[in-house]
Amino acid sequence: GMAVMTWLSIASLLYLFLYALAALCAALVGQILALPVLYVLANFTAVVINYVTVNILATFVYGLDARGYTVLAPLSPTFYLFSRQNVYIEYFGDGLSEGSQIIGISFLHWGYLLALTIAAVVLLAAAFLLFRRRRMEAAGDVIAVRPLRPVFKYCFAAGCALVLGSLAAFLFFEGSGNPSLAVMLLCLLAGGFIGYFTAEILLKKTFRVFG
């Protein structure tokens, strides 16, 4: 009974936060196809950027542990909770053999779930206020809230610089060793340019963004 109640509490609080995050994404975007994309990015961007950044630094900083990609994991709740299922389970019988029965379970991250619950309330309030204030004629825009469009543009460009730039550097210029600092910087700039250009296309809904 306690194990079921523990699981139900964990799932309910996590889903409350995920629903609040989805509601905020829905208030920000006007294009229905952009909603799932922004939702996925909001859930996993932090851990992906952390992983890419650490791997880039590990290329040039001797001794840096490239496995430290979980520093920002709490900002990606789905990843954090499923990668750190820290529970204490007591088994009746001889360990994990067939026929053993779980008689106790204890979850270690109630404080984190409480923080997610508070964050969910804040996100729902923000989604409500944004939805009331956004213009109806922006319903077809990728980002329906005009003041947040520059934020989206530069964040998207920075993310593309890190992800696309590092991917290109390691795939095409690694050779027999790690890519040089100059090559890495050029790839990061190229990735940032692609991200900026793509964001401008999405926001202006035209390919003529520099003319």
Side-chain angles (χ1 to χ4, degrees), residues 3 5 8 13 20 23 40 43 79 84 89 91 95 122 132 137 145 157 160 178 187 192 206:
M5 289 301 298
L8 181 61
L13 294 177
V40 171
N43 270 287
F79 174 88
R84 285 177 166 81
I89 300 177
Y91 288 92
V122 175
R132 289 192 62 184
E137 59 268 25
V145 183
C160 287
N178 292 324
C187 289
T206 177

Side-chain angles (χ1 to χ4, degrees), residues 80-81 84-87 106-115:
Y80 182 77
L81 290 176
R84 285 177 166 81
Q85 299 180 31
N86 294 331
V87 295
S106 177
F107 184 68
L108 302 180
H109 298 292
W110 292 113
Y112 178 72
L113 286 177
L114 177 60

Side-chain angles (χ1 to χ4, degrees), residues 27-198:
L28 289 175
V29 302
Q31 173 57 253
I32 188 63
L33 296 178
L35 174 56
V37 176
L38 182 60
Y39 182 68
V40 171
L41 290 176
N43 270 287
F44 296 103
T45 293
V47 70
V48 171
I49 294 299
N50 193 173
Y51 176 80
V52 171
T53 302
V54 171
N55 274 272
I56 292 175
L57 293 176
T59 306
F60 307 106
V61 180
Y62 179 77
L64 181 65
D65 187 2
R67 296 172 298 175
Y69 59 90
T70 57
V71 176
L72 296 181
L75 298 179
S76 297
T78 304
F79 174 88
Y80 182 77
L81 290 176
F82 282 97
S83 65
R84 285 177 166 81
Q85 299 180 31
N86 294 331
V87 295
Y88 291 129
I89 300 177
E90 299 176 11
Y91 288 92
F92 177 80
D94 52 348
L96 301 177
S97 63
E98 185 177 355
S100 298
Q101 298 179 1
I102 299 177
I103 61 173
I105 182 171
S106 177
F107 184 68
L108 302 180
H109 298 292
W110 292 113
Y112 178 72
L113 286 177
L114 177 60
L116 286 185
T117 304
I118 297 173
V121 174
V122 175
L123 293 179
L124 286 173
F128 175 73
L129 294 175
L130 286 174
F131 187 77
R132 289 192 62 184
R133 291 177 176 272
R134 77 176 192 176
R135 299 174 299 109
M136 293 304 296
E137 59 268 25
D141 296 336
V142 173
I143 301 296
V145 183
R146 185 173 295 275
L148 294 179
R149 291 181 182 179
V151 177
F152 166 79
K153 179 168 61 177
Y154 291 111
C155 286
F156 189 82
C160 287
L162 288 173
V163 176
L164 297 181
S166 62
L167 184 63
F170 286 111
L171 283 180
F172 301 113
F173 299 101
E174 185 174 14
S176 58
N178 292 324
S180 65
L181 179 59
V183 168
M184 180 64 73
L185 290 176
L186 288 175
C187 289
L188 293 178
L189 289 174
F193 175 80
I194 293 174
Y196 185 89
F197 183 74
T198 304

